[in-house]
């Protein structure tokens, strides 16, 4: 292992007591086919991948390929979501089915939507569902608004991670309110992951530079012109942003330029003549 | 032979010969061996009980799988 790899290995993302090397979590929707899904996720380096739970197509699935064959749970931590649920009850039912589907697996992504246009989270329903799920032993990673009070309440309920949106799901608009994210990062002890709104690599890097513990995205990769290449870009962006955060950026000095090259020893010290005229 | 049972399967009405266990239902639907989960009237039917648990007339059954999603 070379030096940079050692640094990265020591900096694991810990969720519900389990350590992950990658701080990039990815969705599996909107790809052309399972082959492209598998290649993009491989390139992203993600270890946690989200899936949705849907009715099986009755009577038309002989030989139909299965997502979990392309993404074996032995290799990836499968994170079932509640996408499309608008009530706490539907979300809880969906995740109970997911737990049965995945042999008792407890780590889940809770999202309870408020309306179909914005896909903005319904926080009262999200909090209610989180309470029920935590009581039933689920490890809940909760998609939420970027409201620090909501994030704190989710933590108090027992969520293992809070996942505020950067902007609307699938919008690719990037981080619209870094100040709110910063407050959440400062106030909440559990991991904070930006979920939704990432459009390109710089958005992911900014999220990590703010101090987010991770980033979850789907559309930014799946709907890029070249999803596999974008997946790799996102991997690098998350790593770069994380390292920049850990390194600690220089102070911003808006009114003060500071030359990086020595000021003395110039072959034609033209500036010195002007300095002396004072 | 007993009367057929009528159930709602993934939102659609279906009829099956009775008696019918969940294992037989899965077989009947050509879903054997697939990774899925089943709910009856809002309650999980564990896979370990597929062999013995029987469908009842009027049951609302959901059979779900994992699909791509964010």
């Amino acid at each position: 292992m070379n030096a940079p790899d050692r640094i990265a290995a020591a900096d694991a993302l810990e969720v519900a007591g389990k350590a992950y090397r990658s701080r990039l979590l990815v969705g599996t929707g909107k790809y052309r086919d399972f082959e492209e899904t598998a290649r993009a996720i491989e390139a992203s380096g993600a270890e946690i991948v989200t899936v949705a739970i849907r009715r099986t197509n009755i009577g038309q699935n002989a030989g139909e390929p299965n997502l979990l064959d392309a993404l074996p749970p032995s290799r990836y931590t499968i994170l079932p979501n509640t996408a499309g649920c608008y009530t706490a009850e539907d979300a809880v039912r969906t995740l109970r089915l997911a737990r049965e589907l995945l042999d008792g697996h407890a780590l889940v992504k809770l999202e309870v939507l408020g309306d179909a246009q914005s896909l903005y989270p319904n926080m009262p329903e999200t909090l209610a569902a989180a309470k029920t799920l935590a009581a039933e032993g689920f490890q809940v990673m909760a998609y939420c608004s970027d409201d620090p009070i909501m994030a704190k309440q989710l933590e108090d309920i027992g969520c293992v991670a809070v996942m505020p949106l950067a902007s609307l799901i699938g919008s690719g608009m990037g981080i619209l309110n870094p100040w709110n994210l910063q407050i959440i990062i400062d106030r909440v002890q559990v991991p904070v992951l930006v979920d939704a709104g990432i459009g390109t690599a710089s958005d992911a890097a900014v999220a990590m530079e703010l101090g987010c513990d991770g980033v979850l995205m789907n559309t930014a990769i799946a709907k890029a012109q070249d999803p596999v290449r974008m997946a790799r870009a996102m991997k690098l962006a998350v790593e770069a942003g994380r390292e920049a955060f850990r390194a600690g950026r220089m102070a911003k000095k808006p009114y003060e330029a500071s030359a990086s090259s020595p000021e003395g020893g110039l072959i034609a010290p033209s500036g010195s003549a002007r300095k002396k005229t004072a | 032979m007993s009367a057929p049972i009528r159930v709602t399967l993934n939102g659609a009405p279906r009829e099956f010969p009775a008696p019918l266990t969940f294992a037989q239902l899965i077989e009947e639907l050509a879903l054997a061996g697939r990774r899925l989960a089943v709910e009856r009237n809002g309650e999980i039917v564990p896979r370990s009980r597929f062999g013995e648990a029987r469908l009842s007339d009027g049951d609302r059954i959901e059979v779900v799988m994992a699909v791509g999603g964010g």
Side-chain angles (χ1 to χ4, degrees), chain A residues 7 12 22 30-32 54 76 103 107-108 126 169 183 186 209 228-229 263:
Chain A
I7 291 169
S22 173
K30 300 182 178 173
Y31 286 98
R32 239 189 339 245
R54 289 292 180 274
Y76 294 102
D103 306 317
L107 190 69
V108 295
T126 302
I169 293 174
I183 297 171
D186 291 347
E209 287 172 14
V228 177
R229 190 175 293 275
E263 292 186 20

Side-chain angles (χ1 to χ4, degrees), chain A residues 185-201:
Chain A
I185 291 162
D186 291 347
R187 303 269 174 88
V188 169
Q189 305 300 309
V190 294
V192 177
L193 291 87
V194 157
D195 177 2
I198 297 295
T200 188

Side-chain angles (χ1 to χ4, degrees), chain A residues 179-230:
Chain A
W179 313 104
N180 271 28
L181 288 179
Q182 192 71 68
I183 297 171
I184 294 172
I185 291 162
D186 291 347
R187 303 269 174 88
V188 169
Q189 305 300 309
V190 294
V192 177
L193 291 87
V194 157
D195 177 2
I198 297 295
T200 188
S202 52
D203 298 332
V206 168
M208 297 309 294
E209 287 172 14
L210 285 171
C212 284
D213 297 281
V215 176
L216 196 166
M217 67 181 74
N218 190 151
T219 313
I221 296 174
K223 287 298 163 195
Q225 301 304 309
D226 181 343
V228 177
R229 190 175 293 275
M230 186 58 90

Side-chain angles (χ1 to χ4, degrees), chain A residues 107-138:
Chain A
L107 190 69
V108 295
K109 170 179 164 179
L110 172 66
E111 62 179 297
V112 187
L113 303 175
D115 81 69
Q117 203 125 54
S118 69
L119 301 179
Y120 211 79
N122 178 328
M123 291 311 301
E125 292 292 312
T126 302
L127 291 164
K131 253 180 222 162
T132 305
L133 292 166
E136 293 185 14
F138 285 93

Side-chain angles (χ1 to χ4, degrees), chain B residues 20-35:
Chain B
L20 185 75
T21 65
F22 280 88
Q24 288 165 331
L25 172 73
I26 297 302
E27 194 74 40
E28 182 80 15
L29 299 173
L31 293 173
R34 302 188 75 90
R35 196 182 266 273

Side-chain angles (χ1 to χ4, degrees), chain A residues 220-278:
Chain A
I221 296 174
K223 287 298 163 195
Q225 301 304 309
D226 181 343
V228 177
R229 190 175 293 275
M230 186 58 90
R232 178 171 150 72
M234 291 300 185
K235 173 186 196 282
L236 297 171
V238 167
E239 288 174 3
R242 177 65 182 175
E243 286 295 86
F245 169 73
R246 294 181 78 205
R249 61 153 298 150
M250 63 166 282
K252 285 186 182 176
K253 295 179 280 187
Y255 303 112
E256 188 188 333
S258 163
S260 298
S261 308
E263 292 186 20
L266 289 160
I267 54 164
S270 56
S272 57
R274 278 200 293 280
K275 267 183 202 161
K276 282 177 195 155
T277 59

